[in-house]
Amino acid sequence: MDSDNHCGASSLPPVEGYVPGPPGRPATWEDIVNLPENLHAEVVNGRVHYRLTARGQHGHAVGEIFSAVRRSAGQGGGDGWWILLDAGFDIGHGSFVGPDLAGIRKARCPEFPTGFPIRLVPDWVCEVLSPSNAHYDRGDKAEAYAKAGVPWYWIVDADERTVEVLELVNGRWQIFGVYTDGAVVALPPFEDVTLTVSEIFVPKKAAAPG
């Protein structure tokens, strides 16, 4: 950890150029830090994972959730949250991830978290599924979040128009609730945030007149 006062500051040295590691060793942050950003590379359990560039409906959902949570979660001060968009985290156990959205309680980190990667485990993460990453977000990445001790995980499916809220209980994910179009709810861990689920997603096309 850096000696400065910034929460999550990284002590990892800067890396110039990308040089693949030798066969047989776990991948590390140094193996992905200088890859092109459009590859969206992550390391989970010592293995590199790539994500395709997101579809439009994915970005729309991320933006709507970010706006709602950030506006309502005390971004400006107090005992609220820092809400981060597509930030890189070192969550330990050989995993370096970039969740679509992440939240850190200000009670844990009074100053805005810095560092690349941020060396803190988020208190909340949110992933918006795409066809290319759904299995990964529900599988290896969900396991990495649980192993790191992330308390809350939202999985948002833009095709099914659902928000699935998972709570970590005794090291395992349990479904707190699944919310669909029409729901207007306050979802944990944001007790003061009311989400209209239908507004997260691209509006449905109007039915053609009969």
Side-chain angles (χ1 to χ4, degrees):
M1 188 75 66
D2 270 348
S3 60
D4 62 25
N5 294 322
H6 294 292
C7 290
S10 175
S11 60
L12 294 176
V15 178
E16 296 183 2
Y18 170 63
V19 179
R25 73 155 173 83
T28 67
W29 174 254
E30 284 80 3
D31 292 316
I32 64 171
V33 65
N34 284 327
L35 288 175
E37 290 186 5
N38 66 311
L39 291 179
H40 302 286
E42 299 179 320
V43 176
V44 169
N45 298 326
R47 293 179 295 176
V48 178
H49 296 260
Y50 302 93
R51 293 184 296 155
L52 298 177
T53 300
R55 300 178 300 167
Q57 54 265 50
H58 176 286
H60 182 275
V62 170
E64 290 296 322
I65 296 170
F66 177 74
S67 296
V69 172
R70 185 178 185 270
R71 182 175 60 250
S72 304
Q75 180 78 5
D79 297 325
W81 293 74
W82 299 116
I83 306 300
L84 296 92
L85 181 66
D86 202 26
F89 286 87
D90 173 0
I91 60 172
H93 309 286
S95 294
F96 302 88
V97 296
D100 289 325
L101 292 159
I104 298 171
R105 294 183 185 273
K106 291 182 178 179
R108 287 180 58 214
C109 183
E111 297 183 9
F112 188 83
T114 62
F116 186 61
I118 297 169
R119 303 188 73 186
L120 284 174
V121 174
D123 297 293
W124 164 78
V125 292
C126 175
E127 300 286 3
V128 179
L129 303 181
S130 295
S132 63
N133 69 14
H135 181 74
Y136 168 58
D137 285 344
R138 289 188 177 277
D140 289 348
K141 200 169 185 182
E143 292 177 6
Y145 285 146
K147 190 174 183 179
V150 177
W152 293 95
Y153 182 19
W154 291 10
I155 299 177
V156 179
D157 191 324
D159 291 331
E160 297 296 327
R161 303 176 71 87
T162 60
V163 178
E164 183 175 345
V165 177
L166 304 181
E167 180 182 9
L168 191 67
V169 179
N170 296 324
R172 299 177 66 88
W173 292 118
Q174 291 189 5
I175 297 176
F176 181 89
V178 180
Y179 306 90
T180 60
D181 272 345
V184 181
V185 289
L187 302 181
F190 304 107
E191 293 80 4
D192 298 329
V193 177
T194 300
L195 281 178
T196 301
V197 173
S198 59
E199 293 180 355
I200 295 173
F201 306 113
V202 174
K204 292 180 178 179
K205 293 182 180 179

